[in-house]
Amino acid sequence: MNTVAPWRRLLAEYVGTALLVTAVVGSGIMATELSPDDVGLQLLQNSIATALALGALILTFGPVSGAHFNPVVSAADWWLGRRHGTGLTGRDLAGYAVAQTLGGIAGSVLANLMFDLAAVTLSGKERSGAHLWLGEVVATTGLLLLIFALVRSGRAAVAPAAVGAYIGAAYWFTSSTSFANPAVTVGRAFTDTFAGIAPASVPAYVGAQLVGLLAGIGLIVALYPNAGAGADDVVVPHDSAEQARGRG
């Protein structure tokens, strides 16, 4: 059970998600400025920056909140941990989801401002189609399988590198470029840049991610029946060791 003060955990989730979206959006803007005529190169630059930033952010905020940065990850943590008395409580889940979503919006605003754009520019980039929604289901399911496989096998310490690598790769092997995160999806609606998504496209993307959540939980239960016992280590171990040593 994580006994770090709730406000500290929520702050970590808010700031971490904000910086993740800042990395996604900011690197997309920079990529279009540096390589204006090569969309493939733009995606490469965007995916590398996102993967590296995600790994660094998990290392930074993981000891406080677990570095979920994603309502789907938090929901899986809550659901799978209930039977074992581990992971997030229902109240924690609600707080995490709100903090992550607000952080996602703040991240887009910050990226816009850094590149001298209006603070809020709603995206006009339509992302719609069954093939894209399927890509989101695949990306989200795979992300959850990876995280809980690492926890179940006692390898959560490598999650920063593994999760960053997965997201970087999923940019390329999924048709949707792997949003796989409702908070990030909502946040990216607030920037009319390379990484943006039109507000009208957001509900279907989030719906697909929720389908991926259900599929991921089902596969995790089938493959790793006791994965919930390690829910306190999702995405990385975040027990109260610091507080136990009197340095909280």
Side-chain angles (χ1 to χ4, degrees):
M1 182 67 67
N2 187 352
T3 58
V4 174
W7 71 266
R8 290 176 61 194
R9 287 185 279 150
L10 294 179
L11 179 61
E13 288 297 304
Y14 173 83
V15 176
T17 309
L19 292 176
L20 172 59
V21 174
T22 298
V24 173
V25 173
S27 63
I29 297 171
M30 182 66 81
T32 57
E33 291 183 355
L34 296 177
S35 308
D37 300 319
D38 192 332
V39 177
L41 184 55
Q42 292 169 8
L43 185 62
L44 178 62
Q45 293 161 340
N46 188 211
S47 62
I48 291 174
T50 299
L52 294 176
L54 179 56
L57 291 170
I58 292 173
L59 286 171
T60 301
F61 296 103
V64 180
S65 67
H68 293 188
F69 310 149
N70 187 336
V72 163
V73 173
S74 298
D77 184 60
W78 166 74
W79 179 265
L80 293 169
R82 292 182 309 155
R83 184 162 59 93
H84 301 273
T86 58
L88 299 180
T89 65
R91 184 173 181 176
D92 289 335
L93 171 59
Y96 269 45
V98 170
Q100 292 156 354
T101 303
L102 293 177
I105 296 170
S108 274
V109 171
L110 178 58
N112 288 337
L113 291 174
M114 283 199 302
F115 286 89
D116 198 27
L117 302 174
V120 174
T121 55
L122 294 180
S123 177
K125 183 175 292 185
E126 296 288 341
R127 299 178 187 262
S128 182
H131 64 295
L132 299 180
W133 303 332
L134 178 59
E136 282 301 287
V137 173
V138 171
T140 306
T141 301
L143 175 63
L144 293 176
L145 280 173
L146 170 64
I147 290 170
F148 281 89
L150 292 174
V151 170
R152 180 64 182 85
S153 60
R155 295 175 294 165
V158 304
V163 173
Y166 174 82
I167 292 298
Y171 260 78
W172 291 90
F173 72 73
T174 64
S175 57
S176 63
T177 66
S178 183
F179 285 51
N181 184 330
V184 168
T185 304
V186 171
R188 287 170 65 168
F190 288 79
T191 181
D192 193 20
T193 60
F194 179 80
I197 177 173
S201 300
V202 168
Y205 260 57
V206 172
Q209 292 155 4
L210 294 178
V211 172
L213 167 64
L214 297 177
I217 288 176
L219 286 171
I220 291 164
V221 169
L223 294 171
Y224 307 105
N226 295 315
D232 283 334
D233 293 334
V234 174
V235 171
V236 296
H238 52 287
D239 60 22
S240 56
E242 180 186 43
Q243 287 189 342
R245 290 194 297 267
R247 298 185 296 177

